[in-house]
Amino acid sequence: QSKEPLRFGLAMPLTGSQALFGADQAKAAQWAVQDINAKGGVEGRPLEMILLDTQADPRLGINAVNRLINVEKVPVYGTAWSSVVKAVAPVSNRSKVLELSVGANSPEIAKLGDYVYTTYPLADVDIRAQAKYARETLKKERAAVLYIHNDSGVEGAEIYRDTFKELGGKVVAYEAYDAQSTDFTGALLKVRSANADIVHIQGLVSDLPQVIAQMRQLGLKQQVSTYSAGYNPKVLEQLGAAAEGMIVSALAPSAEQNEQVAKFVERWKATEGRIPNGLPYTQYLYDLPYLVADLYRHLLKTGQPLTGENMRKALVEIRKFDLPTTGLLEVGADHRVQKPVYLYEVKNGAFTPIATVK
Amino acid sequence: MIDPQIVLQILWTGLATSTYAVLFAAAFALVLKVVKVWNFAQAGMMGIAFYAMYFAVHKLGLPGYASIAIGLACTIAAAMALEIYGLQTFRRRNSPSLTFFIFTMIVSEFVQYVLSMIFGTEPVSLATSLISPAHIVGGIMITERDLIAIAATLVLMAGLYVLLMRTNQGKYMLAAADNPQLSRLYGINIKRVYALTFVVASILICGGMYLFGTRAALVPTTPMEMMIFSVIAALLGGMGNVFGAAIAAIVLTLLRSFSILVIPSAWQSVVLYALLFITILFFPKGVSFKRRPRPAPATPTQPAKA
Amino acid sequence: MLQVENLNAYYGKLHVLHDLSFTIGEGERVAVFGHNGAGKTTLLRACVGDLASVSGAIRYRGTPIVTNEAHVNVGLGLGLVQQGANVFRELSVRENLLIAGLRNQGRAQEEVFGLFPLLKERREQIAGSLSGGQQQMLAIGMALMTQPSILLLDEPTTGLAPVIVRDVLHSVSEINRNRGTTIVVVEQNVQATLEHVDRAIVLKSGRIVYDGPSSTLLEQESLWELF
Amino acid sequence: MTNKLTLKGVNKRFGGVVVADGIDLEVRGGEILGLIGPNGAGKTTLFNLISGVVPMDSGTVELNERRIDGLPLYKRARLGVARTWQHMRLFGSMSVLDNLMIGASDYPGESLMRLIFQGLTVRQAERAAREQAMDILGRMGLQNLAQANVNDITFGQQKLVGLARGLMSNGACLLLDEPMAGVEGRAYETMRDIVRQEAQAGRAVCVVEHNVSFIRDLCNSAVFMAQGRILERGDVKTLLESKVLAELYFGKQGTQT
Amino acid sequence: MEYLVALSVLVGLYVILSSSFNLIIGYGGLISIAHPIFFALGAYTVGVLSTTTGVHPVLAVIAGGGVALVGSFMLSIPSLRISGDYLLITSIGFQLGLIEIIKNLGFLGGASGLGGIPNVIENHRTGTFAAVTAIAALVVVLLIRALVRGPYGRAIQAMRDDELAFAALGRHAMTMKIAIFALGSGVAGIAGGIYAYYYQYITPDQFMILQSGMILTMVVVGGMGSVWGPVVGAVLMLLLPEAITFLNLPSSVMGPLQGIIFTLLVILFLFLRPQGLIAAKPR
Ligand SMILES: Nc1ncnc2c1ncn2[C@@H]1O[C@H](COP(=O)(O)OP(=O)(O)OP(=O)(O)O)[C@@H](O)[C@H]1O
Ligand SMILES: Nc1ncnc2c1ncn2[C@@H]1O[C@H](COP(=O)(O)OP(=O)(O)OP(=O)(O)O)[C@@H](O)[C@H]1O
Ligand SMILES: [Mg+2]
Ligand SMILES: [Mg+2]
């Protein structure tokens, strides 16, 4: 039996403005590879991950994927960030190599072609759940939406607005802010005069705390909801009491809900002395090598050649994967995955689970 | 339906937010005016200033003023290294001005990579909490941080004014800005003047970074993004007119803050840039806060060569 | 006062001054003549340290200064009026004079205005918008502001009206007489200059071809073709 | 038709300073008019007004009976106003020959369209310009410097190149701003001869100069300007002996250098 | 091999971009930073034409160049009219503003980008694109070379040295500047068109203001104002980072370390060859 490693690629932003997530996610994937190999690899063969930097820039992403496909000859690779995922999709489809999007959530990703699959629920899943929870469970009538003016902000805000309206609520303010701005007073005052009863913020970890801080200082007392960007202990630390009542979502179970996750978090604390940036995303990345290992195992067992085409077939055939830190993954025929959405509310300075929306 | 209270609130917070932009724009304009360099390495200096202070506050547990001192020392050291090992070399070789431009830009990128290697890429802030005690004055929310920021900026800018207008060193800077080669014949040590300029710029930058770092969290790439704004302000203020740049920074910040009242928020930036474009087209003189008209091109001096 | 020994100067590969040696005494008035490109400007610039590649020795009151930078020499008491009306173009006349006088606690601006009343009228005008001749006056005035012990003038009267030419040469002599300032002046107009100097140095292609009293210069027939 | 440059009632002020005050002037082809006056009299400014560098406040400028005031700089140059500059303003990064060729009246490389669609005429025009430039340099004895960079030649030669460049357009009038300042020896003589030849060829020449002997050598007539006004005019000899000049220009004693 | 060919497509496109930017900034002395936006105009023109109409790809690419060329007038005519100095400022406004507009326009895909650009070459796709860009790059470089060596180049240079003296010789500097700007921008638009067809997906992020820093680095490191300088610069600036990824750096610091190595190399080049790797020839 050959000991030749089974290779797959990972193209993530390791530098640039998105590196704060990309680097931690890459590290999680690295750990998973180590763990799998420590347990004997896949059918006795070690797994090998080739990691490349994209800076979340589509052009560099294409370079990286070209290299993965043509030099490293991997049949499957993971990548993230919507613009990169979209940019490299034509390359994947043409070369018939399986592209797994892990973390990008633009709803368009489902329609990028035969070889593009996602392991991460698209934005409509969690943001919809947020809107639904606000409208149906909390019985909010008037929502205000604040969003950062970039692709994920725009798309996310639209989903929230449309869902909230569908459910009979009113969106009384819908304001964008520039990615570079640090003063949100104008937008917040508009929200204040619109008299909303819940404010949904579709921002990034770097600006979200500032938005909320300024909002509280301006005397806006409404409940705040956001998506997984807010599910970060840093946010609580920087906001203190101002974070109370904030509702955040996560698409992966927390340490309390899953013992593997608890171990995972411990590992971060032990090796890095901190919690990872964007914990749920790193969970997905940690699980990616396990998914790839399952695909390889399937092909090796059935004796099929290890090509991208067969990888894709394997993904569709296996369909259901049981992954360590994110639980069951079911790949749909529509290239989407459905996952439960875990909602938390900040109570006494801690994220407290309030609901799980299936 | 525009409520005066809203206007006043936006005005006040806008002014407070513009403080660090003012300092960065002034620093950029000062170096542009005196040293004649588009100092894109300013982003690098901003990064160094911030992370040095961050290290002092969070890792060494030093109080505010001590960490500012450390930040200042690091920034000045970096600026001196840039001037002595970088710019002086290019100057000696008569490199074209765009070489300086590219060099400084690459230096910023370099610093950014080094910082992200040392400090990682998660957003960090100088303050542990982003919330600052606030007072309501006549319906307007005024935070203590806003007050400190505005006061500190006023002090720094006044100091800069005194330096430039009232001291010999300031006169040397003006002379060097006008004609460095000739200045030497009046006993002015150009290298010293340039060094001093960088020191002053470092002080402005460090002050600005402290103000910014206590109200926001940043990552190693943030300074680069922020610098573009200072560059625009420095240009609008009249190509290297220090106080013009400061005023332009305020105007631009306020414009950005106020535009949300009249324009759909998604179109804000477009309107801001369109305004920039149009202002220059129709009021080319209006945007430059120059003290006096430029001399007519009738009698130029011969290009001085070293 | 100023001792020059085996001075060579280069612009890149171009060898402009060849082994010049001469001494200028305290309080002397020296004129330097030579055709266009002879190296007169180069010589003056080398003396104040305004040139990058020179070899040889220059001593000012005994101290070697050839490696000094220009601003150091100016501090020691050398003053140079460059050829071609060099002033701070974006600053006003007043600021120009002020800056020139800062380093050596220069004289009062009034003295310069006394010499060039025209400048006084235009105290607040931007130097770059002065006429060519006015700029030249300002440049001379600025050099005087530095209170030099030795004043080097590179074609100071180019572009000046005859009445001012005479005034300038006259006041240069005056400064020499009243303050004992040593004068080295480069001039095209040999005749007019000779009246005001004690000694003449003539350069030809970077070499000294005459160095002696001004009174006997015109007797040197071999030099006539140069003028 | 002989060339003629006419100025009528030209006024200009900078802020409070009057630099041209009702200037009337006429220069005819073949004539060399000297323009003298103390520093700051407004001589350079007058050239700037004629050539269009600075707009004037009122008055008219006519070249060969055609009004040219109000036209931009480059159009006036095309109509025949050629000038030199007090500080030469050569194209410092280029060779002597290239400096001259830019001045050719039919310069081939100005329009992209022409380069693309009329390649042949471009080549012809280029050759003609080169021949003309070499011809002018020949007259000045500078042919062997054609390929030298203008910064590498001596001051006097640079002044000559400045003049040569102005001659390339064959303009109807030639404005020379202190052509002799800092020039001596052989260059001086060349300069004088060339200017004389150009006048003889029918150009209207106007010279600003502080070098009085040059004016005396060269000019037929002269005007004396002070504070933006023409105070005296006439033939050179009488003008130079006039009282006003003696006082305002040469200084009280009235001697001439 | 396929990987190298794919890279060569990118190199070819950036050779076109840097050479045309060199024409504007290095030869024309027109300091603008809006080059990426003309690249974007070409790319978006192709994006829209190819997704909504069945226009022939060659025509679409030419249309892209045309749109960029015409677009350049919107910037150059008004800014150069007041004074060339203002071009820099207006170009910043133009660049940033137009990108914001693109981000807001639904039919251009907005902030999420425009995808679904059809694949126009089925067989030997990468090779064909590489050949096409290589030829286009060569044509552009030779065209610029012919332009700047001849009488036009002489005039540009004289204009840059002393615009007033240039105008006083009867030359009209304005039209020349506008023409140079239009030509350079049009060429960038063509590069944008090919880019869109090759990558099939474009987003506003790819045409941001910092891109002009990158193109300018290619120009300056290669040698501003020389014909082959930008070519060398583009090859180097694109291939170096790729080459660095082949160093087996520890993955924990890989990203920043690659950046550090790359920027240090660029700084080294600048120190060793301050006039650029290929210095401009004096005329
Ligand atoms: N910056 C320079 N670079 C290269 N060569 C130069 C430079 N300055 C002067 N030269 C050359 O050096 C030689 C001497 O020049 P210099 O200016 O000293 O002459 P000069 O006697 O002052 O002439 P002029 O009377 O024209 O002022 C000349 O051949 C000149 O071309
Ligand atoms: N742009 C300007 N702003 C203000 N004053 C100006 C401007 N340009 C010229 N002047 C003034 O106009 C007057 C005439 O200047 P001009 O250059 O025409 O003098 P000139 O006769 O050529 O003198 P010179 O012989 O010294 O060269 C001068 O007093 C000058 O200071
Ligand atoms: Mg000289
Ligand atoms: Mg004059």
Side-chain angles (χ1 to χ4, degrees):
Chain A
Q1 197 180 16
S2 117
K3 279 279 182 192
E4 204 187 321
L6 300 165
R7 293 147 67 92
F8 74 99
L10 184 65
M12 298 297 267
L14 303 176
T15 55
S17 56
Q18 300 304 311
L20 90 112
F21 299 109
D24 281 0
Q25 294 175 22
K27 187 183 293 288
Q30 209 93 42
W31 284 347
V33 173
Q34 284 164 13
D35 293 352
I36 292 170
N37 289 340
K39 293 214 184 95
V42 183
E43 303 286 299
R45 287 170 70 174
L47 204 57
E48 184 184 330
M49 180 174 90
I50 294 119
L51 175 63
L52 289 175
D53 186 11
T54 65
Q55 298 192 13
D57 172 339
R59 186 178 61 79
L60 294 177
I62 291 171
N63 281 0
V65 166
N66 259 325
R67 161 140 176 228
L68 288 174
I69 294 177
N70 296 310
V71 180
E72 314 293 347
K73 310 267 185 227
V74 299
V76 52
Y77 66 91
T79 186
W81 272 263
S82 298
S83 60
V84 176
V85 171
K86 289 182 207 167
V88 300
V91 184
S92 264
N93 288 327
R94 281 196 307 266
S95 339
K96 298 195 166 47
V97 169
L98 182 61
E99 170 183 353
L100 293 172
S101 158
V102 266
N105 64 359
S106 167
E108 283 174 40
I109 289 174
K111 296 173 253 163
L112 289 178
D114 286 350
Y115 282 84
V116 185
Y117 280 84
T118 176
T119 70
Y120 190 84
L122 301 179
D124 33 7
V125 176
D126 59 338
I127 297 170
R128 228 172 232 286
Q130 278 280 15
K132 219 166 143 186
Y133 183 77
R135 181 74 196 103
E136 290 179 345
T137 312
L138 299 176
K139 301 274 184 264
K140 301 289 183 188
E141 299 282 344
R142 304 163 63 85
V145 182
L146 265 177
Y147 62 98
I148 186 165
H149 200 231
N150 65 13
D151 52 353
S152 70
V154 172
E155 284 170 9
E158 271 170 13
I159 294 169
Y160 191 94
R161 179 190 60 192
D162 297 346
T163 317
F164 199 79
K165 276 192 190 157
E166 259 167 44
L167 299 173
K170 256 174 96 172
V171 175
V172 289
Y174 190 71
E175 300 291 336
Y177 58 83
D178 198 67
Q180 261 110 60
S181 58
T182 49
D183 174 19
F184 314 98
T185 313
L188 289 170
L189 290 178
K190 274 187 143 175
V191 170
R192 187 169 76 178
S193 44
N195 219 350
D197 49 18
I198 185 164
V199 181
H200 181 77
I201 305 174
Q202 194 72 24
L204 301 175
V205 248
S206 44
D207 48 58
L208 187 69
Q210 288 176 65
V211 177
I212 297 175
Q214 291 186 15
M215 175 174 166
R216 295 304 185 217
Q217 286 181 331
L218 280 172
L220 278 84
K221 301 206 163 53
Q222 288 89 337
Q223 187 159 33
V224 170
S225 73
T226 179
Y227 65 122
S228 49
Y231 184 56
N232 189 325
K234 265 258 145 38
V235 175
L236 297 189
E237 194 183 304
Q238 291 178 338
L239 285 174
E244 282 305 299
M246 177 171 75
I247 301 174
V248 302
S249 61
L251 286 159
S254 69
E256 293 78 35
Q257 290 151 334
N258 180 321
E259 159 198 8
Q260 292 282 353
V261 180
K263 276 195 211 147
F264 182 69
V265 174
E266 279 315 307
R267 188 166 177 182
W268 277 101
K269 286 186 181 151
T271 56
E272 304 293 315
R274 62 181 170 90
I275 305 270
N277 293 311
L279 174 63
Y281 292 105
T282 57
Q283 288 170 244
Y284 278 90
L285 260 295
Y286 181 82
D287 288 354
L288 175 74
Y290 285 92
L291 172 71
V292 172
D294 284 349
L295 296 178
Y296 266 123
R297 196 170 292 120
H298 182 83
L299 292 188
L300 289 173
K301 274 193 177 145
T302 52
Q304 300 181 60
L306 306 176
T307 64
E309 267 170 277
N310 290 338
M311 280 286 171
R312 176 178 174 274
K313 260 196 278 169
L315 183 78
V316 178
E317 279 166 19
I318 306 175
R319 232 184 73 213
K320 286 189 178 177
F321 298 84
D322 193 23
L323 298 171
T325 64
T326 56
L328 185 72
L329 174 83
E330 190 173 344
V331 178
D334 56 356
H335 290 238
R336 288 167 180 272
V337 292
Q338 294 300 330
K339 283 272 189 179
V341 180
Y342 304 88
L343 293 181
Y344 302 85
E345 187 176 336
V346 178
K347 287 183 186 155
N348 303 320
F351 292 110
T352 320
I354 45 171
T356 304
V357 184
K358 300 257 183 229
Chain B
M1 70 140 253
I2 292 174
D3 172 356
Q5 208 165 346
I6 289 187
V7 172
L8 282 176
Q9 179 71 66
I10 293 181
L11 182 68
W12 171 258
T13 340
L15 279 178
T17 325
S18 74
T19 50
Y20 44 83
V22 164
L23 295 173
F24 299 143
F28 191 86
L30 182 72
V31 173
L32 178 59
K33 181 186 173 80
V34 179
V35 191
K36 296 274 176 313
V37 169
W38 293 85
N39 181 26
F40 279 70
Q42 178 161 330
M45 289 163 66
M46 285 156 71
I48 290 172
F50 175 78
Y51 278 97
M53 289 188 285
Y54 168 76
F55 188 77
V57 171
H58 289 277
K59 303 280 144 100
L60 304 179
L62 294 176
Y65 57 87
S67 57
I68 292 180
I70 287 183
L72 199 55
C74 293
T75 319
I76 291 176
M80 287 301 113
L82 174 80
E83 160 70 13
I84 292 169
Y85 298 109
L87 303 183
Q88 275 183 17
T89 314
F90 290 116
R91 229 175 268 134
R92 236 187 345 263
R93 300 182 185 175
N94 278 325
S95 304
S97 63
L98 282 176
T99 306
F100 287 83
F101 178 101
I102 293 302
F103 171 70
T104 54
M105 206 172 68
I106 298 284
V107 165
S108 273
E109 271 180 46
F110 173 73
V111 170
Q112 173 195 315
Y113 287 125
V114 171
L115 289 177
S116 53
M117 194 149 100
I118 301 174
F119 293 98
T121 45
E122 56 178 345
V124 287
S125 153
L126 288 180
T128 21
S129 165
L130 288 178
I131 307 279
S132 158
H135 310 276
I136 305 288
V137 180
I140 313 279
M141 185 268 309
I142 291 176
T143 67
E144 280 175 14
R145 200 165 44 213
D146 289 351
L147 285 173
I148 294 171
I150 289 179
T153 306
L154 282 177
V155 168
L156 283 174
M157 291 308 288
L160 183 63
Y161 184 85
V162 170
L163 174 77
L164 283 183
M165 301 297 169
R166 297 271 179 273
T167 66
N168 286 359
Q169 294 302 329
K171 295 277 181 248
Y172 293 157
M173 285 183 180
L174 292 185
D178 195 298
N179 186 341
Q181 210 265 340
L182 183 64
S183 308
R184 306 183 327 148
L185 291 180
Y186 296 106
I188 299 172
N189 185 346
I190 289 295
K191 284 186 189 159
R192 266 246 303 275
V193 172
Y194 286 174
L196 179 70
T197 308
F198 273 107
V199 170
V200 175
S202 302
I203 295 174
L204 297 174
I205 287 171
C206 217
M209 267 342 253
Y210 187 80
L211 299 181
F212 182 67
T214 48
R215 74 160 50 215
L218 57 168
V219 292
T221 50
T222 319
M224 193 71 116
E225 288 160 10
M226 281 169 40
M227 193 184 54
I228 293 179
F229 188 81
S230 349
V231 176
I232 296 177
L235 285 175
L236 266 184
M239 302 257 184
N241 178 330
V242 178
F243 297 98
I247 294 172
I250 298 178
V251 171
L252 283 178
T253 316
L254 289 183
L255 215 62
R256 186 181 251 179
S257 313
F258 275 110
S259 59
I260 192 163
L261 293 183
V262 271
I263 321 158
S265 50
W267 287 91
Q268 261 186 85
S269 308
V270 180
V271 173
L272 184 74
Y273 299 128
L275 219 62
L276 180 87
F277 191 77
I278 292 166
T279 325
I280 296 160
L281 291 191
F282 291 104
F283 311 101
K285 298 269 153 46
V287 288
S288 85
F289 304 87
K290 271 220 175 329
R291 280 187 301 159
R292 288 169 297 210
R294 285 172 160 275
T299 50
T301 44
Q302 285 165 305
K305 275 195 187 164
Chain C
M1 174 119 226
L2 197 68
Q3 276 170 288
V4 175
E5 275 165 33
N6 298 332
L7 181 69
N8 286 281
Y10 310 81
Y11 289 110
K13 289 205 184 78
L14 185 69
H15 193 167
V16 179
L17 298 181
H18 305 261
D19 277 330
L20 303 192
S21 299
F22 58 88
T23 308
I24 291 172
E26 198 89 34
E28 224 181 337
R29 296 178 300 171
V30 182
V32 178
F33 300 123
H35 57 90
N36 288 135
K40 308 177 296 280
T41 300
T42 311
L43 174 60
L44 296 199
R45 287 180 65 188
C47 286
V48 293
D50 196 24
L51 272 187
S53 58
V54 288
S55 69
I58 304 177
R59 267 187 292 278
Y60 170 77
R61 290 180 167 154
T63 14
I65 58 166
V66 77
T67 51
N68 283 359
E69 286 193 58
H71 65 91
V72 180
N73 290 340
V74 172
L76 292 175
L78 287 94
L80 171 68
V81 178
Q82 281 187 329
Q83 188 172 15
N86 266 314
V87 295
F88 297 113
R89 295 177 53 78
E90 307 235 337
L91 303 179
S92 70
V93 170
R94 191 178 51 76
E95 284 168 316
N96 264 283
L97 291 173
L98 181 71
I99 286 170
L102 281 180
R103 181 63 197 265
N104 290 1
Q105 280 90 46
R107 66 191 69 201
Q109 300 198 1
E110 285 310 317
E111 258 183 86
V112 172
F113 291 144
L115 186 57
F116 303 113
L118 229 150
L119 291 182
K120 186 169 185 178
E121 288 167 29
R122 300 188 181 265
R123 218 175 338 195
E124 297 302 328
Q125 188 171 339
I126 304 221
S129 71
L130 293 172
S131 84
Q134 290 163 345
Q135 289 185 21
Q136 185 66 40
M137 295 175 204
L138 178 58
I140 299 171
M142 286 164 72
L144 295 181
M145 293 292 292
T146 67
Q147 299 263 43
S149 313
I150 175 167
L151 179 58
L152 310 160
L153 298 141
D154 196 354
E155 309 204 12
T157 64
T158 322
L160 294 183
V163 55
I164 302 185
V165 170
R166 213 176 18 245
D167 281 357
V168 167
L169 291 177
H170 181 75
S171 50
V172 167
S173 293
E174 194 97 305
I175 291 160
N176 168 265
R177 199 164 335 120
N178 296 345
R179 306 180 171 257
T181 308
T182 311
I183 305 290
V184 179
V185 58
V186 167
E187 263 301 336
Q188 299 280 355
N189 193 333
V190 178
Q191 245 116 48
T193 317
L194 282 178
E195 292 172 26
H196 299 275
V197 296
D198 315 311
R199 175 177 158 199
I201 293 175
V202 180
L203 291 183
K204 186 184 173 190
S205 307
R207 294 187 170 82
I208 296 184
V209 292
Y210 177 87
D211 183 357
S214 54
S215 46
T216 56
L217 174 64
L218 293 178
E219 291 158 22
Q220 303 283 324
E221 284 187 34
S222 61
L223 296 176
W224 283 11
E225 45 123 8
L226 285 177
F227 309 121
Chain D
M1 189 192 73
T2 59
N3 292 319
K4 192 168 78 173
L5 176 72
T6 321
L7 273 68
K8 287 191 197 124
V10 171
N11 287 308
K12 175 74 191 176
R13 48 170 65 224
F14 286 114
V17 188
V18 180
V19 286
D21 187 358
I23 303 263
D24 295 314
L25 206 64
E26 190 178 281
V27 197
R28 290 176 172 276
E31 193 182 355
I32 306 179
L33 178 77
L35 194 55
I36 43 187
N39 298 115
K43 306 178 295 292
T44 300
T45 307
L46 192 61
F47 278 9
N48 286 343
L49 293 172
I50 298 172
S51 58
V53 175
V54 177
M56 55 196 194
D57 297 341
S58 64
T60 62
V61 179
E62 285 174 17
L63 185 68
N64 298 342
E65 316 291 334
R66 181 180 167 168
R67 271 190 70 166
I68 59 168
D69 48 282
L71 294 180
L73 182 60
Y74 76 98
K75 284 205 176 136
R76 297 195 205 188
R78 285 181 187 175
L79 289 174
V81 181
R83 71 168 291 177
T84 68
W85 306 83
Q86 195 164 354
H87 290 281
M88 294 181 292
R89 310 192 77 134
L90 298 181
F91 303 125
S93 66
M94 296 163 55
S95 71
V96 170
L97 182 65
D98 281 333
N99 259 275
L100 261 63
M101 286 177 68
I102 296 288
S105 52
D106 173 34
Y107 187 70
E110 202 176 354
S111 147
L112 270 182
M113 289 299 151
R114 182 167 168 199
L115 282 180
I116 296 167
F117 297 111
Q118 303 171 25
L120 201 67
T121 68
V122 167
R123 215 163 305 149
Q124 281 166 357
E126 177 94 344
R127 196 174 318 121
R130 178 166 291 121
E131 274 164 18
Q132 192 197 354
M134 288 311 290
D135 192 45
I136 294 176
L137 288 177
R139 282 166 59 198
M140 297 185 172
L142 296 177
Q143 355 22 356
N144 49 354
L145 290 181
Q147 299 304 336
N149 183 290
V150 288
N151 280 339
D152 295 341
I153 62 176
T154 67
F155 187 79
Q157 290 164 340
Q158 288 178 348
K159 279 269 180 181
L160 284 175
V161 172
L163 173 66
R165 191 177 67 178
L167 298 182
M168 287 292 291
S169 68
N170 289 320
C173 86
L174 190 57
L175 311 173
L176 305 173
D177 198 351
E178 306 205 16
M180 288 303 179
V183 180
E184 28 82 281
R186 199 169 314 125
Y188 182 100
E189 279 155 27
T190 317
M191 182 82 78
R192 189 188 54 205
D193 296 344
I194 298 278
V195 175
R196 207 174 267 155
Q197 287 165 15
E198 288 303 317
Q200 269 157 16
R203 296 196 193 199
V205 183
C206 190
V207 191
V208 168
E209 210 19 279
H210 288 299
N211 186 329
V212 178
S213 55
F214 182 69
I215 295 278
R216 200 181 288 133
D217 261 10
L218 201 63
C219 299
N220 323 83
S221 58
V223 298
F224 178 69
M225 256 185 104
Q227 303 194 326
R229 229 176 299 167
I230 295 186
L231 298 183
E232 299 268 316
R233 55 179 95 210
D235 68 290
V236 175
K237 208 160 156 356
T238 35
L239 187 85
L240 287 178
E241 279 157 10
S242 101
K243 267 226 184 67
V244 186
L245 233 73
E247 189 176 323
L248 288 178
Y249 195 58
F250 295 115
K252 289 268 173 347
Q253 300 93 326
T255 44
Q256 298 157 16
T257 11
Chain E
M1 191 56 209
E2 174 84 4
Y3 166 69
L4 289 180
V5 178
L7 271 182
S8 80
V9 178
L10 197 63
V11 169
L13 289 172
Y14 274 84
V15 165
I16 300 178
L17 279 181
S18 62
S19 294
S20 54
F21 202 32
N22 184 36
L23 176 69
I24 292 175
I25 209 164
Y27 287 108
L30 303 171
I31 310 289
S32 148
I33 51 99
H35 214 51
I37 201 68
F38 298 112
F39 186 44
L41 284 179
Y44 272 97
T45 307
V46 163
V48 170
L49 285 181
S50 65
T51 47
T52 56
T53 68
V55 70
H56 191 274
V58 174
L59 291 182
V61 169
I62 292 174
V67 168
L69 191 142
V70 174
S72 82
F73 293 138
M74 282 165 45
L75 173 58
S76 64
I77 293 181
S79 352
L80 293 172
R81 251 197 138 72
I82 32 174
S83 146
D85 285 354
Y86 288 102
L87 179 61
L88 178 59
I89 317 176
T90 42
S91 71
I92 295 180
F94 193 76
Q95 161 80 38
L96 296 175
L98 229 50
I99 283 290
E100 285 299 323
I101 291 180
I102 292 175
K103 274 193 193 171
N104 278 306
L105 290 182
F107 76 100
L108 295 179
S112 349
L114 184 60
I117 299 169
N119 183 12
V120 287
I121 294 163
E122 288 296 340
N123 299 322
H124 306 291
R125 182 176 192 273
T126 319
T128 316
F129 267 104
V132 168
T133 48
I135 291 169
L138 195 70
V139 167
V140 166
V141 171
L142 291 181
L143 183 90
I144 291 177
R145 191 177 105 117
L147 204 62
V148 299
R149 292 263 165 105
Y152 200 77
R154 185 190 300 122
I156 299 176
Q157 196 165 356
M159 173 184 83
R160 231 175 42 205
D161 279 358
D162 191 332
E163 200 173 320
L164 193 66
F166 183 72
L169 291 171
R171 310 276 82 93
H172 194 198
M174 251 297 261
T175 47
M176 283 193 58
K177 289 185 183 178
I178 290 171
I180 293 172
F181 201 76
L183 186 68
S185 306
V187 167
I190 289 184
I194 303 177
Y195 184 92
Y197 271 123
Y198 181 63
Y199 287 123
Q200 297 177 268
Y201 167 72
I202 46 182
T203 76
D205 290 351
Q206 288 158 293
F207 310 102
M208 295 297 232
I209 196 162
L210 286 178
Q211 273 276 317
S212 65
M214 163 152 169
I215 306 173
L216 195 59
T217 310
M218 294 174 177
V219 174
V220 170
V221 169
M224 196 171 51
S226 80
V227 171
W228 295 102
V231 178
V232 174
V235 172
L236 213 62
M237 290 301 112
L238 288 171
L239 296 192
L240 260 186
E242 289 298 320
I244 292 171
T245 60
F246 282 91
L247 302 174
N248 271 321
L249 299 172
S251 68
S252 55
V253 290
M254 185 176 102
L257 204 56
Q258 283 173 358
I260 289 175
I261 295 173
F262 175 66
T263 47
L264 273 181
L265 281 174
V266 176
I267 291 174
L268 195 72
F269 286 135
L270 286 174
F271 271 117
L272 294 180
R273 304 297 298 262
Q275 310 290 332
L277 293 169
I278 298 184
K281 279 204 209 92
R283 254 197 112 84

